[in-house]
Amino acid sequence: MAIAVLALVGTLYTARTSRMAGREQVAQQAQPTERALDREAFKEIRESLQSQIDGLREEIGQLKHDVNKLSEDVADREARLRSAMVLIREGNRRLTGAGLDPVTIPPELIMWSI
C-alpha cells in the first residue's frame, strides 16, 4: 500500500511539474523576442525618417519653384532695365544733337546700357 501511495504522489508531482514547465514554455514563446522588438523599433525609426524625408522633398520642391519664379522676375527686370537704358541713350543722342547736355548715367547702370 505504501508503494501505491508513493506511486500516486510521484505521478501527481510529475504531472504538476510537466504542466508548469509547459506553461512556462508557452509564456516564453508568447513574449516577443529581443530580435522582434529590435525589428519593431527599426521599423518605427525608418517610417519616421521616411516621413521626414518626404516632408523635406516637398519643401525642396517648393523652394525650387520659388527660386525659378524669382529668377524669372529678375530676368524680366533686367530686360526692362536694358530697354530703359536704350531709351536713355537714344534721348542722350537727341539732346547732344540739339546742343544740350546729356543726362548723366550712374556708373553702376552702365553695364545695363550695353
Side-chain angles (χ1 to χ4, degrees):
M1 178 96 146
I3 295 176
V5 171
L6 283 175
L8 180 63
V9 170
T11 304
L12 291 175
Y13 178 76
T14 305
R16 182 175 178 216
T17 306
S18 64
R19 276 189 305 213
M20 288 177 57
R23 286 182 192 152
E24 288 177 5
Q25 187 177 11
V26 169
Q28 287 176 353
Q29 290 174 352
Q31 291 178 349
T33 63
E34 185 175 336
R35 185 175 178 110
L37 292 174
D38 288 345
R39 283 183 186 163
E40 279 298 315
F42 175 77
K43 188 185 268 186
E44 289 176 13
I45 290 169
R46 189 178 82 197
E47 289 173 358
S48 172
L49 290 175
Q50 188 63 43
S51 67
Q52 289 176 2
I53 289 170
D54 292 342
L56 289 173
R57 283 183 179 155
E58 289 176 16
E59 189 175 341
I60 288 171
Q62 182 62 40
L63 290 173
K64 283 182 179 180
H65 174 73
D66 293 347
V67 166
N68 288 337
K69 186 171 170 54
L70 288 173
S71 66
E72 289 172 3
D73 290 347
V74 167
D76 185 47
R77 288 180 183 185
E78 288 174 353
R80 288 182 187 184
L81 185 56
R82 284 191 183 96
S83 297
M85 292 304 293
V86 167
L87 293 174
I88 290 173
R89 281 194 321 243
E90 180 62 31
N92 278 346
R93 279 191 216 119
R94 288 184 182 182
L95 286 173
T96 304
L100 300 171
D101 292 333
V103 175
T104 306
I105 299 173
E108 59 270 3
L109 295 179
I110 291 178
M111 65 180 259
W112 300 105
S113 65
I114 298 174

